Amino acid sequence: MTTHAGAVHVHEAPTGFFRKYIFSLDHKVIGKQYISLALFSAFVGMFLSLLMRLRLAWPAMKLPFFPDGILPEQYLALVTMHGTIMVFMVLTTAPQSGFGNYFLPIQIGAADMAFPVLNMLSFWTTFLSMVVLMGAFFVTGGAPLGGWTVYTPLSAIGEIAGPGQGLGMTMWVIAIALFCAASLMGAINFIATTLDLRTRGLSLMRMPLTAWSWFITAVISLLAFGVLLSGGILLLLDRTAGTSFFVPGNLVVTEKLIPHKGGSPILWQHLFWFFGHPEVYIAILPGMGLASHVLSTFSRKPIFGYRAMVFAMSAIAFLGFIVWGHHMFVSGMSPYVGMAFSVLTMSIGVPSAIKTFNWLGTLWGGDIKFTTPMLFALGFVSLFVSGGLSGLFLAQTSLDQYLHDTYFVVAHFHLIMGVAAIFGILTGTYFWFPKMFGRMMSEGLGKLHFWLSFVGVYAIFMPMHFIGLAGHPRRYADTSGAAYLQAMDPVHYFMTVAAFITVAAQFIFVANFFWSMFKGKKADINPWQATTLEWSIPSPPPHDNFAGQEPTVYRGAYEFAVPGVKDDYIEQHVPPEQVAKG
Amino acid sequence: MYLTGVSLSLAAILMFFMALASSYIVRKGTGNDWQPIDLPRIMWLNTAILVASSITIEVARRKLIASGDVAAFRNWWAITTALGMLFLGGQIVAWRELAEQGLFLSTNPSSSFFYLLTAAHGAHLLFGLVALLYVALRAAQPAWRRRAIAAEATAVYWHFLDGLWVFLLLLLNFGR
Ligand code: HEM
Ligand SMILES: [Cu+2]
């Protein structure tokens, strides 16, 4: 493109409170806004999950807000809102829009994102989406019951399908439509920024893998969210305008004939999962980029197979668009189609394995420093492998007939998407905190947080594999009425206790976060002895990042353990003649 | 940079409409209640108008970029804007013709898709029209630095919506 970095959109540092902190155009402020939104959402989501765990362990327990205990339909509302908030407001928001916004421009030597106003708009649209979503709790009928995938036809016919399927579900659809719009704006911004605003010398193949992962994730978002938006609009019309896109004829629900006819419920599944599978990669790719980055930094070794990593991420993004059918093996699809989806799905194992072995190759023989961010990055790799292996089982059509909609699937996606991506977010927080706030987080508390969380999440989610294999369906509010399920109650107690301990451990993180922000040890410019551009500017960075001077990049992002050099690393911006020999 | 941004948005819009078009085909194939509708004749005229507007915007763009002739640019641009409005007006007439036949959004899946696709396209076109008007108004200011890039970006968007419309028309007509 013709324009060049820096010069295009220098905007002065704003002075008023609103322009500075609320309607800010600064990518760093917007990044922090996204991270704050995600942090808040994560705690709401965790709170909901604790209520579910309580219900599963002690079905009759009375709770504040639930004088009669949690009713089965309220349990479904908790499931739906937990899943939706976690997937959209946390996993899609923090790793990409949060850290990406803050660090992508800095890592590529730009003064801001390509379109700052669009950037602000996408944050506030996301915020509005969260407000509408939370609003569903407070309307008549309460929150929707459809699960985060809101399968039709029950999501399309209103409150006859359950109290939350009325207004609450309508709010859900509107919230998600807003979220789609916001994500599309964000994706355009990320891609244009990466393509057009890289500084002198920073070729694509010199970019940090974090920048690559944000870029590829943005491409996935750009192509996926429009499809969900179209599905959302069709669903909204079915719900409010009397159309029949998804509702079949002669449908009888709670002894009432539904007036729609001819629609295809499976169509919703296709639209949803055409978005949904790419979405899981939107959640995990930034974590992959960050894990690569952090493993290399703290092994003091160049990343093993940089090109292969870029290739593997691109391959995952591409394959991610042609495997959605693996969520629909039991929808009655033709066995031949199922076979094709099965083979394609397993082929994603190849780039995933490339990434895993390259991470191990990076660690191999490294001078490993077990800092908190490093521990979380290692935790990420562990969770990714544990969760990925169960994916290969689910990808077999014959096994999935049995495993679909059991706790085995819940175990799979919580390990690989839920907690792996959360570990990615925590890696980013511990790694970049010194840059963002100019102070170090406590290593002692950080390590305590890591070990409790690491053991905790495995304690919660590993047993789910076993009850899933034993045939325990997901989304059941309790086990009453089925003797074979009641035999699994002790496992539920165990997982509930583990969940409480794990959630309690997150408060160590919160305490560490806020304590360090004000009282932590002052961080210097480059506390981790890292190589990329964000470590060449003050902590925290000034308003325009590089004080009006475009940096020049002389080399790739992972120059560690270079022979004949005094330090064991060379930063990207240091001219060759200034590298200290030793 | 602005061109990159606009081109990227086209990719997203394309995915959105492709999803709707696929739903159209699936819904038509799975239900047994589909009743084909005859497109109002005026839609062919509308199409001709939109294609013409694509030509006039291209002339305007070339006048500006190749020969730097701002006056000619502004004239052709104004014609394009007028044609764009005419198209939207014509689409509304088409809607009213259908409504007179008793075909509404929820009458039949075919009419549901008809209204949905034309409305979704119209909404995107309205956005383009706002851009056209904005450039038309600001182009009068001699000191406007971003005239060329704004004109280019708008033209790319407009051509795309033109092509998209032709696709949708063919779908609605031959996919009846
Ligand atoms: C080797 C890679 C993977 C394979 C072979 C695989 C396979 C599968 C299959 C076949 C299912 C459907 C199971 C069912 O519903 O019966 C599934 C569900 C799921 N997977 Fe994966 N997966 C892989 C990686 C991932 C990754 C990387 C993520 C996220 C970051 C992920 C997230 C999910 C989610 C969220 C669901 C369940 C959605 C729901 O029904 O609510 N998977 N996976
Ligand atoms: Cu999937």
Side-chain angles (χ1 to χ4, degrees):
Chain A
M1 287 292 112
T2 46
T3 48
H4 206 274
V8 213
H9 46 63
V10 184
H11 43 81
E12 297 296 310
T15 44
F17 174 79
F18 274 94
R19 290 292 310 283
K20 203 164 166 186
Y21 298 110
I22 311 289
F23 297 109
S24 171
L25 298 179
D26 183 341
H27 69 101
K28 297 186 290 298
V29 177
I30 297 176
K32 283 193 206 169
Q33 288 173 326
Y34 268 118
I35 292 171
S36 315
L37 177 66
L39 195 67
F40 170 76
S41 308
F43 274 87
V44 175
M46 272 195 305
F47 175 70
L48 299 177
S49 70
L50 287 184
L51 291 176
M52 290 190 284
R53 287 301 338 159
L54 282 178
R55 161 81 208 200
L56 289 167
W58 296 284
M61 190 187 226
K62 300 204 181 351
L63 294 161
F65 304 115
F66 301 99
D68 307 322
I70 299 171
L71 305 174
E73 55 270 28
Q74 290 172 328
Y75 178 82
L76 287 181
L78 293 175
V79 172
T80 309
M81 294 299 276
H82 164 78
T84 309
I85 291 174
M86 286 300 200
V87 171
F88 291 97
M89 299 299 162
V90 181
L91 302 184
T92 313
T93 298
Q96 175 77 2
S97 314
F99 288 116
N101 242 313
Y102 199 109
F103 286 105
L104 174 69
I106 306 186
Q107 284 195 336
I108 63 171
D112 205 316
M113 294 290 263
F115 310 113
V117 177
L118 192 69
N119 204 14
M120 175 186 80
L121 216 60
S122 66
F123 170 74
W124 283 107
T125 311
T126 311
F127 183 82
L128 188 64
S129 159
M130 177 64 175
V131 172
V132 176
L133 187 63
M134 295 294 287
F137 275 120
F138 304 101
V139 296
T140 31
L145 316 178
W148 78 287
T149 57
V150 302
Y151 274 10
T152 52
L154 290 184
S155 59
I157 54 177
E159 59 217 2
I160 191 161
Q165 302 296 77
L167 198 49
M169 179 59 85
T170 304
M171 310 254 302
W172 187 97
V173 183
I174 293 172
I176 294 307
L178 287 170
F179 193 88
C180 290
S183 300
L184 289 174
M185 292 186 246
I188 291 170
N189 222 338
F190 271 69
I191 302 174
T193 305
T194 315
L195 290 180
D196 291 349
L197 296 189
R198 272 171 295 122
T199 190
R200 245 174 285 116
L202 187 61
S203 61
L204 283 174
M205 291 315 260
R206 279 180 175 177
M207 286 203 306
L209 287 171
T210 38
W212 263 111
S213 69
W214 290 318
F215 175 64
I216 295 174
T217 304
V219 175
I220 306 180
S221 303
L222 187 74
L223 301 178
F225 273 105
V227 177
L228 180 63
L229 182 60
S230 76
I233 290 177
L234 295 179
L235 183 54
L236 203 59
L237 289 177
D238 268 6
R239 295 181 54 79
T240 56
T243 56
S244 301
F245 295 114
F246 301 127
V247 190
N250 302 326
L251 181 68
V252 177
V253 175
T254 50
E255 296 175 6
K256 279 229 182 64
L257 182 66
I258 306 296
H260 301 253
K261 59 180 185 205
S264 164
I266 301 291
L267 176 59
W268 167 260
Q269 295 192 17
H270 280 293
L271 291 171
F272 184 86
W273 288 117
F274 187 89
F275 151 81
H277 190 81
E279 160 65 23
V280 305
Y281 287 107
I282 293 172
I284 201 73
L285 272 180
M288 290 179 166
L290 183 58
S292 312
H293 196 76
V294 168
L295 290 182
S296 172
T297 305
F298 294 108
S299 305
R300 314 308 297 165
K301 273 183 65 194
I303 186 80
F304 189 91
Y306 174 89
R307 275 172 184 279
M309 287 305 222
V310 174
F311 159 80
M313 280 196 282
S314 316
I316 287 177
F318 171 74
L319 290 173
F321 275 101
I322 49 177
V323 299
W324 78 94
H326 65 219
H327 296 275
M328 301 168 59
F329 286 146
V330 301
S331 69
M333 61 165 57
S334 139
Y336 298 104
V337 179
M339 185 72 186
F341 275 125
S342 172
V343 172
L344 286 169
T345 300
M346 282 185 284
S347 72
I348 296 198
V350 176
S352 309
I354 292 177
K355 297 205 70 77
T356 307
F357 284 110
N358 282 356
W359 287 325
L360 298 182
T362 306
L363 292 167
W364 189 266
D367 174 14
I368 300 179
K369 308 261 183 291
F370 287 102
T371 59
T372 310
M374 180 63 164
L375 289 176
F376 273 99
L378 291 168
F380 174 93
V381 174
S382 160
L383 291 162
F384 181 74
V385 173
S386 313
L389 288 177
S390 56
L392 292 173
F393 290 82
L394 294 170
Q396 317 293 327
T397 48
S398 50
L399 288 178
D400 190 61
Q401 298 287 328
Y402 177 79
L403 292 173
H404 178 72
D405 262 349
T406 67
Y407 266 95
F408 193 86
V409 177
V410 181
H412 161 67
F413 71 77
H414 274 91
L415 285 181
I416 200 162
M417 170 155 108
V419 276
I422 297 261
F423 269 50
I425 297 172
L426 292 169
T427 308
T429 312
Y430 283 106
F431 182 65
W432 278 314
F433 188 93
K435 184 53 62 187
M436 296 173 70
F437 298 102
R439 291 179 186 270
M440 306 298 288
M441 286 181 83
S442 154
E443 277 288 307
L445 288 179
K447 287 183 175 143
L448 183 66
H449 173 220
F450 169 77
W451 284 110
L452 287 173
S453 305
F454 186 69
V455 177
V457 294
Y458 271 113
I460 302 171
F461 295 111
M462 267 312 195
M464 291 189 187
H465 292 100
F466 302 116
I467 61 172
L469 285 171
H472 196 321
R474 68 193 280 205
R475 293 175 178 158
Y476 272 30
D478 57 60
T479 55
S480 59
Y484 86 103
L485 290 182
Q486 276 160 5
M488 302 179 209
D489 278 346
V491 188
H492 276 306
Y493 293 129
F494 176 81
M495 293 189 292
T496 298
V497 173
F500 269 88
I501 296 174
T502 313
V503 169
Q506 305 317 305
F507 287 93
I508 302 176
F509 166 72
V510 176
N512 190 355
F513 189 90
F514 288 106
W515 182 83
S516 305
M517 203 184 276
F518 301 105
K519 292 276 156 59
K521 193 162 89 9
K522 280 250 188 290
D524 54 16
I525 284 193
N526 188 0
W528 308 122
Q529 306 195 307
T531 55
T532 42
L533 289 179
E534 74 267 35
W535 306 106
S536 70
I537 56 174
S539 316
H543 172 70
D544 56 353
N545 300 346
F546 297 94
Q549 320 235 261
E550 287 175 46
T552 304
V553 165
Y554 296 93
R555 58 187 66 77
Y558 300 103
E559 298 282 325
F560 291 103
V562 186
V565 171
K566 182 161 154 286
D567 302 314
D568 73 340
Y569 66 106
I570 316 177
E571 292 179 74
Q572 285 189 288
H573 68 281
V574 178
E577 60 277 10
Q578 287 177 22
V579 175
K581 302 274 182 301
Chain B
M1 189 172 75
Y2 290 95
L3 270 186
T4 318
V6 170
S7 318
L8 291 170
S9 73
L10 301 188
I13 296 172
L14 192 65
M15 287 305 287
F16 174 78
F17 277 96
M18 287 308 119
L20 289 182
S22 318
S23 308
Y24 182 99
I25 294 164
V26 170
R27 179 64 180 81
K28 179 167 182 248
T30 49
N32 49 6
D33 56 340
W34 186 281
Q35 278 157 10
I37 44 175
D38 290 323
L39 298 189
R41 300 280 285 281
I42 188 171
M43 291 182 71
W44 298 98
L45 181 65
N46 294 347
T47 309
I49 292 174
L50 194 61
V51 173
S53 78
S54 224
I55 298 171
T56 56
I57 201 171
E58 190 56 21
V59 175
R61 191 184 73 90
R62 294 200 180 168
K63 289 279 182 228
L64 185 70
I65 310 292
S67 37
D69 184 349
V70 178
F73 161 74
R74 287 184 53 202
N75 286 338
W76 285 103
W77 197 265
I79 297 175
T80 310
T81 315
L83 288 174
M85 290 178 181
L86 214 56
F87 171 83
L88 272 191
Q91 293 289 82
I92 293 175
V93 173
W95 279 8
R96 299 185 71 159
E97 279 188 25
L98 276 194
E100 270 161 31
Q101 296 173 31
L103 290 171
F104 300 97
L105 180 61
S106 61
T107 311
N108 191 262
S110 57
S111 65
S112 306
F113 272 110
F114 178 89
Y115 283 105
L116 176 62
L117 290 172
T118 47
H121 177 264
H124 286 86
L125 199 96
L126 196 62
F127 188 72
L129 211 52
V130 171
L132 279 172
L133 276 172
Y134 178 77
V135 174
L137 294 179
R138 287 214 59 179
Q141 305 169 357
W144 192 29
R145 279 188 303 119
R146 295 209 177 126
R147 182 189 292 118
I149 183 71
E152 289 230 52
T154 312
V156 169
Y157 185 72
W158 197 258
H159 286 317
F160 170 80
L161 284 185
D162 182 20
L164 179 65
W165 171 249
V166 173
F167 167 77
L168 292 178
L169 184 83
L170 296 179
L171 179 72
L172 288 170
N173 189 55
F174 294 109
R176 276 185 299 164

